[in-house]
Amino acid sequence: YTVADLLKGEKYNFRVSAQNYGAVSEPAELPQPVVAKEQIFPPAMDLQGITSDKILVKEGTDFVLKIPYSGQPVPTVSWKRGLGVMQQTARIFTKTTREMTQLFIKRALKADSGQFTVHLANAAGSQQADSQ
């Protein structure tokens, strides 16, 4: 059972009972208060919509790569192009919210080809994915 709406850093006293098909036990108090902490989960990307590590885009068309993600605390998101940091331009740029990061390429050119990498990181870990 998860107790909601606790304040981080506050102490709480709990009584615990066990329940099965036959009965419910007498409540037992924990020997000391429990301090509420933020739950931590490593970053995870939902790559189900990406069926290949190579994406073909017709020259002159617009392209958007959408990657939903999760993690607690909210992960930081960074993009690379090739081996370096991806330079944002009016034509090639990213947008990131708390639950999704997107790569936009407007009027694609052959020169836009290459490897793009998205990297997520928080206190619980990191994850990255590459696409060409």
Side-chain angles (χ1 to χ4, degrees):
Y1 180 78
T2 301
V3 180
D5 300 324
L6 300 180
L7 299 175
K8 182 178 165 186
E10 292 292 318
K11 293 181 180 180
Y12 294 90
N13 292 304
F14 291 97
R15 294 186 322 157
V16 181
S17 295
Q19 180 178 356
N20 63 24
Y21 294 108
V24 176
S25 71
E26 290 295 321
E29 290 204 24
L30 298 178
Q32 53 189 321
V34 176
V35 177
K37 297 179 183 176
E38 182 177 31
Q39 290 186 322
I40 296 177
F41 302 103
M45 288 182 244
D46 180 358
L47 302 174
Q48 290 181 353
I50 302 172
T51 57
S52 172
D53 63 344
K54 290 188 179 186
I55 299 171
L56 299 176
V57 178
K58 185 176 178 182
E59 190 170 13
T61 62
D62 294 347
F63 170 74
V64 181
L65 177 61
K66 297 179 180 183
I67 302 177
Y69 68 89
S70 61
Q72 186 65 28
V74 175
T76 58
V77 178
S78 60
W79 284 86
K80 290 183 180 179
R81 184 172 181 188
L83 299 175
V85 174
M86 190 184 90
Q87 299 299 318
Q88 304 269 338
T89 68
R91 207 175 55 74
I92 300 176
F93 58 95
T94 62
K95 287 186 181 178
T96 300
T97 65
R98 292 179 57 92
E99 297 175 343
M100 181 176 297
T101 186
Q102 300 176 82
L103 169 66
F104 293 84
I105 300 177
K106 294 187 174 199
R107 298 174 313 281
L109 304 172
K110 286 185 181 182
D112 297 334
S113 64
Q115 182 167 305
F116 289 85
T117 302
V118 61
H119 184 263
L120 305 177
N122 69 10
S126 63
Q127 184 182 23
Q128 78 175 31
D130 303 318
S131 186
Q132 293 185 357

